[in-house]
Amino acid sequence: MKKTVNPKEFFSNLNSYPNKQLGQNFIRDLRVIDRIIDVSELSSEDEVLEIGPGLGALTFALADKAKRVVAIEKDRKLADYLSEFFHDQMNLELINQDALKVDYSSFYNGNELKVIANLPYSVSSPLLFKLLEARQYFSTMVLMLQLEVGERISAGPGGKTYGSISVLLQTFMDITSEFRVSPESFWPKPKVDSIVLKLIPLKTPRTKVSDEKLYEKVVRAAFSSRRKMIGNSLQSILSKESAAESLELAGIDKKRRAETLTIEEFGALVDKVSIIEKDF
Ligand code: SAM
């Protein structure tokens, strides 16, 4: 069986270093790859999208199990190496592009894909929002993230970690924390722990959302200044009167802070905003 390259040797042969801006921390512990594959419940019928294949450690395991793998790598050097290494892997499509700029619908052939990735931590939040937007093309996402980002995504109301990213992702997806990974499992070692999350897009959102753009706008405005009362923070997008009226109609005290509102309360609030501000 072919062996993927040791990242340290790869960079030393090129006389270069992993690119920090591209979040290049490569998995070295093969047990982590096995656990990601287990959590993904991969079968030979599955089509997979991998973001940031790096030097192919996870890609290799994915291509071995799945029917089709599409892997998007931004770094030209790594993409060139992967094309060479995987030249006879017929079920793998390698794309040398920025995953933030790719149109994910172009990979959809009628079968929802599984997104499986050790995400580049430098751009994990914008990538998560891009994946959220394209969720209709995906059945499951198994993603490795920085622990702190993973905690924010899965946090419930009432705490400091609960924010707009928690509300927006949890409204549209079921999210479970699967396992933690220590820095020792990577080369180079990241400064922080990582976590693998499983996200399953819901067929219908957890709360009533008639206008997704408006929902996002209101949630972001609510959290825009965490220390302010919600009646005040909403004034970044609504008049004082409209903010007060929407909150009252939704049965939410305007003195509360955004971090105490449940997803259902955000749904009720946005519903009232859409009635009051018809032209929003
Ligand atoms: N999958 C490999 C592994 O687990 O060993 C590498 C993971 S590393 C954390 C992230 C990878 O994403 C790097 O290979 C990096 O070059 C790539 N990357 C960073 N930003 C990207 C982007 N915007 N689009 C696609 N790939 C990106």
Side-chain angles (χ1 to χ4, degrees), residues 22-27 50 52-54 72-74 98-99 118 120:
L22 291 181
Q24 290 180 347
N25 300 95
F26 304 94
I27 303 178
E50 185 188 7
I72 309 170
E73 175 55 60
K74 183 173 177 185
D98 182 340
N118 172 15

Side-chain angles (χ1 to χ4, degrees), residues 143-273:
L143 306 175
M144 178 132 67
L145 296 151
Q146 221 173 304
L147 178 63
E148 182 244 324
V149 176
E151 284 175 345
R152 280 200 278 130
I153 291 172
S154 40
K160 281 208 174 75
T161 44
Y162 184 66
S164 53
I165 195 167
S166 337
V167 175
L168 293 171
L169 293 186
Q170 289 174 34
T171 299
F172 301 102
M173 299 198 271
D174 253 339
I175 301 174
T176 46
S177 299
E178 296 292 341
F179 59 94
R180 273 171 79 148
V181 184
S182 77
E184 278 67 37
S185 301
F186 303 88
W187 183 85
K189 272 195 232 170
K191 289 206 172 69
V192 292
D193 276 15
S194 302
I195 190 160
V196 172
L197 297 186
K198 187 172 194 172
L199 304 91
I200 302 180
L202 296 165
K203 295 290 173 225
T204 42
R206 207 171 292 287
T207 186
K208 184 178 168 197
V209 180
S210 42
D211 178 341
E212 272 185 39
K213 286 276 166 258
L214 179 63
Y215 187 78
E216 183 176 343
K217 196 168 173 179
V218 173
V219 171
R220 285 191 191 279
F223 282 102
S224 58
S225 38
R226 297 181 71 98
R227 273 174 300 168
K228 278 194 190 165
M229 294 180 285
I230 187 153
N232 291 338
S233 45
L234 285 180
Q235 288 177 42
S236 60
I237 55 162
L238 295 172
S239 67
K240 188 175 175 184
E241 295 70 32
S242 297
E245 198 183 341
S246 326
L247 286 162
E248 194 183 336
L249 286 174
I252 299 165
D253 184 342
K254 63 181 179 198
K255 293 199 177 117
R256 284 173 62 188
R257 284 165 219 285
E259 69 206 45
T260 68
L261 264 66
T262 63
I263 286 174
E264 290 70 23
E265 287 178 311
F266 274 111
L269 171 62
V270 179
D271 190 41
K272 302 306 173 203
V273 171

Side-chain angles (χ1 to χ4, degrees), residues 89-129:
Q89 190 79 42
M90 304 316 280
N91 62 342
L92 174 66
E93 295 156 48
L94 271 167
I95 297 170
N96 179 207
Q97 271 186 44
D98 182 340
L100 283 169
K101 297 191 178 145
V102 168
D103 172 10
Y104 294 143
S105 70
S106 62
F107 310 130
Y108 178 72
N109 293 336
N111 266 341
E112 290 163 349
L113 295 105
K114 288 185 171 173
V115 184
I116 305 175
N118 172 15
L119 286 185
Y121 296 170
S122 43
V123 284
S124 56
S125 295
L127 277 171
L128 281 161
F129 284 110

